[in-house]
Amino acid sequence: MSFLEVQHINTGYGKKQVLFDVDLIVEEGETVLLIGSNGSGKSTLFKAIYGIVPVWNSIDRGRVLFNTIDITNTKNHSLIKKGLMYVPQKNELFEDMTIEQNLEMSLLHLNNKKETSNRVQEVYSQIDILANNKKQIAAQLSGGERKLLSLGTVLANRPKMVLYDEPLAGLSGNNVSMVLKWLQAIKENGTTLVIIEHRIKELMAIANKVVGLKLGRRNTEALDNIDRIKSFML
């Protein structure tokens, strides 16, 4: 059984349909790149998986299965307890809270102050920048620091799978290398990753599979074989 299985997903906003009969299979431990032009439905697919936008009823009964459990239209606050975490490209941080408060808020579902404190300290031991600036307000952070704080929330939660929307967006070269280092570490820790990213070349080293979307549908013309994609980029 696949770790994440998306079956015949149709959804959108109001009466505007964005996704049309989309399927996706992700195996445990894989890193999958979800690619496509702006407006192709990539972020909407993440939101449908995470219960932020509803999966519409269809003839084929669209479903989302995570670790064999049907999570279709499950409220997103309960999914992190099941080991599934979603990091959006924007608005993922509490802007008026400090680094430390953001880490603590991401662990609110634990309802355990001691465990929360232990996990925050664990993040600090791994990412010095966060430890050294833990009282700084998120709104005052640089782009690289913001991405590292997002990664810190992932490390703190120890998810089984992460849906990550453009982790490299807007970063300079040095910061790209730093974020890639931590994505590699998360992958090596056994976490399954599905990543939306336009900077495909930078993620080739950790990717196992590429899935394309085009105008809300699976792009059958996309190159799904990672070795073929790498050969085209040489």
Side-chain angles (χ1 to χ4, degrees), residues 12 39 66 82 118 148 162 196 202 233:
F66 174 63
K82 299 180 186 296
N118 288 341
L148 286 176
V162 183
I196 294 172
E202 285 89 339
M233 290 186 168

Side-chain angles (χ1 to χ4, degrees), residues 134-172:
K134 59 186 177 182
K135 299 303 181 183
Q136 191 166 353
I137 300 295
Q140 299 173 344
L141 300 177
S142 68
E145 289 168 340
R146 293 175 69 87
K147 294 297 184 181
L148 286 176
L149 179 51
S150 295
L151 280 167
T153 65
V154 174
L155 292 170
N157 277 279
R158 305 172 187 169
K160 298 173 183 175
M161 173 180 281
V162 183
L163 308 174
Y164 218 137
D165 197 340
E166 297 205 42
L168 307 182
L171 295 182
S172 64

Side-chain angles (χ1 to χ4, degrees), residues 49-187:
I49 292 170
Y50 215 65
I52 298 171
V53 298
V55 173
W56 294 353
N57 290 330
S58 64
I59 295 173
D60 295 313
R61 189 178 179 266
R63 294 196 305 165
V64 180
L65 302 175
F66 174 63
N67 204 14
T68 73
I69 299 170
D70 191 333
I71 61 167
T72 311
N73 293 332
T74 297
K75 297 297 182 183
N76 56 78
H77 64 266
S78 68
L79 293 176
I80 195 165
K81 295 181 181 179
K82 299 180 186 296
L84 179 61
M85 189 171 182
Y86 167 50
V87 183
Q89 181 188 357
K90 298 178 180 179
N91 303 318
E92 79 279 24
L93 303 177
F94 295 97
E95 297 291 330
D96 58 345
M97 292 186 178
T98 64
I99 284 174
E100 185 155 277
Q101 288 169 335
N102 267 275
L103 291 171
E104 290 171 346
M105 286 297 292
S106 79
L107 295 166
L108 201 60
H109 63 93
L110 294 178
N111 196 28
N112 185 318
K113 289 184 177 180
K114 184 177 180 180
E115 180 65 15
T116 294
S117 178
N118 288 341
R119 292 202 190 188
V120 169
Q121 294 305 315
E122 186 177 283
V123 171
Y124 289 158
S125 71
Q126 297 178 78
I127 307 180
D128 292 341
I129 292 175
L130 299 184
N132 296 335
N133 298 280
K134 59 186 177 182
K135 299 303 181 183
Q136 191 166 353
I137 300 295
Q140 299 173 344
L141 300 177
S142 68
E145 289 168 340
R146 293 175 69 87
K147 294 297 184 181
L148 286 176
L149 179 51
S150 295
L151 280 167
T153 65
V154 174
L155 292 170
N157 277 279
R158 305 172 187 169
K160 298 173 183 175
M161 173 180 281
V162 183
L163 308 174
Y164 218 137
D165 197 340
E166 297 205 42
L168 307 182
L171 295 182
S172 64
N174 288 339
N175 286 328
V176 165
S177 298
M178 196 182 309
V179 171
L180 285 173
K181 167 192 167 185
W182 284 106
L183 288 174
Q184 178 71 44
I186 291 168
K187 175 184 174 69

Side-chain angles (χ1 to χ4, degrees), residues 24 32-36 42 45-46 194-197 211-213:
L24 175 67
V32 177
L33 299 187
L34 185 60
I35 66 171
K42 304 183 301 296
L45 179 56
F46 274 9
V194 185
I195 301 174
I196 294 172
E197 187 53 67
V211 172
L213 284 182

